[in-house]
Amino acid sequence: AQSVAQPEDQVNVAEGNPLTVKCTYSVSGNPYLFWYVQYPNRGLQFLLKYITGDNLVKGSYGFEAEFNKSQTSFHLKKPSALVSDSALYFCAVRDSNSGYALNFGKGTSLLVTP
Amino acid sequence: NAGVTQTPKFRILKIGQSMTLQCTQDMNHNYMYWYRQDPGMGLKLIYYSVGAGITDKGEVPNGYNVSRSTTEDFPLRLELAAPSQTSVYFCASLGSNQPQHFGDGTRLSIL
């Protein structure tokens, strides 16, 4: 089965500092990986995806993610955090056996303090 | 474009009652999904559909039913509500070369 794991329940970072939210994956074949963000009482918003190609993927709102095949990781990064980045972040992998549904990690809460 | 629209946004049910969560999309996407989100658990797939007239079970289908009579609509039915179905429910759709689009969710409490 295709799965992802997010080892951190919460990440705290000061505004202006770089941030990293971790994700590791377990898949058979080539992974299709995604990051989504959820603000309070809202649905999930797409940030970026990796399908193939460059290992560094750039996405929305200044976020990027680095695909590392040897470490089976897909960490989300941002060079300089904003208070407004505080939200719940989900890593996900596409499951071709369930109509391309997404299998999600449990989520990581990011808190950026002024 | 409205994208994916879910109604209602909030609902409180009594144990044993039934209800339908509505989901509609205006992007002509063939693929649609229902997920539930529980605290600290991420999202779990309940049912999915690859086109009108075709539905299939996901990871947690027990206690739910779906139908897909049109491309636009994918309602989720709870027949006998149980406290374990208290959750936030998200509908999503998928088009070609696009990421999944999510609705804003339905927050359901069963008391």
Side-chain angles (χ1 to χ4, degrees):
Chain A
Q2 320 282 62
S3 66
V4 293
Q6 295 179 244
E8 303 155 317
D9 291 335
Q10 182 161 326
V11 171
N12 298 320
V13 64
E15 187 174 32
N17 284 357
L19 70 87
T20 299
V21 182
K22 295 180 180 177
C23 174
T24 58
Y25 65 88
S26 175
V27 303
S28 55
N30 295 321
Y32 284 42
L33 297 163
F34 300 80
W35 276 101
Y36 281 80
V37 60
Q38 183 181 33
Y39 297 100
N41 299 316
R42 298 300 304 275
L44 277 68
Q45 296 179 28
F46 170 75
L47 282 178
L48 50 82
K49 65 180 178 182
Y50 173 84
I51 296 178
T52 187
D54 290 340
N55 290 340
L56 186 63
V57 180
K58 293 191 182 296
S60 305
Y61 313 120
F63 284 93
E64 58 190 25
E66 185 174 8
F67 174 73
N68 188 315
K69 188 173 183 178
S70 63
Q71 297 185 4
T72 62
S73 67
F74 188 57
H75 300 334
L76 181 71
K77 299 174 185 278
K78 188 174 183 182
S80 179
L82 300 173
V83 172
S84 57
D85 292 330
S86 298
L88 188 57
Y89 290 80
F90 289 99
C91 181
V93 61
R94 193 177 80 172
D95 185 353
S96 56
N97 293 322
S98 298
Y100 306 121
L102 296 174
N103 292 335
F104 287 88
K106 61 180 173 62
T108 298
S109 179
L110 173 67
L111 179 62
V112 182
T113 53
Chain B
N1 281 345
V4 178
T5 302
Q6 293 184 235
T7 56
K9 294 189 184 301
F10 305 93
R11 184 74 183 268
I12 298 174
L13 281 183
K14 294 182 179 180
I15 295 172
Q17 287 185 321
S18 62
M19 78 163 293
T20 299
L21 283 65
Q22 301 292 345
C23 175
T24 187
Q25 52 95 4
D26 62 359
M27 296 171 283
N28 201 35
H29 289 169
N30 284 323
Y31 294 81
M32 295 188 74
Y33 311 88
W34 275 105
Y35 298 89
R36 59 176 288 170
Q37 180 182 21
D38 300 304
M41 299 291 291
L43 281 75
K44 302 290 186 183
L45 182 66
I46 305 172
Y47 271 94
Y48 66 96
S49 170
V50 301
I54 306 170
T55 63
D56 210 341
K57 296 178 180 179
E59 182 181 359
V60 289
N62 291 345
Y64 307 95
N65 279 300
V66 294
S67 60
R68 185 93 183 273
S69 57
T70 66
T71 298
E72 294 78 19
D73 299 309
F74 190 40
L76 178 71
R77 178 86 176 162
L78 282 71
E79 289 295 349
L80 290 171
S84 62
Q85 293 177 306
T86 293
S87 189
V88 182
Y89 292 85
F90 289 101
C91 179
S93 71
L94 177 67
S96 297
N97 296 320
Q98 296 180 29
Q100 284 191 23
H101 294 259
F102 285 81
D104 282 340
T106 294
R107 285 148 185 82
L108 180 63
S109 293
I110 299 165
L111 306 174

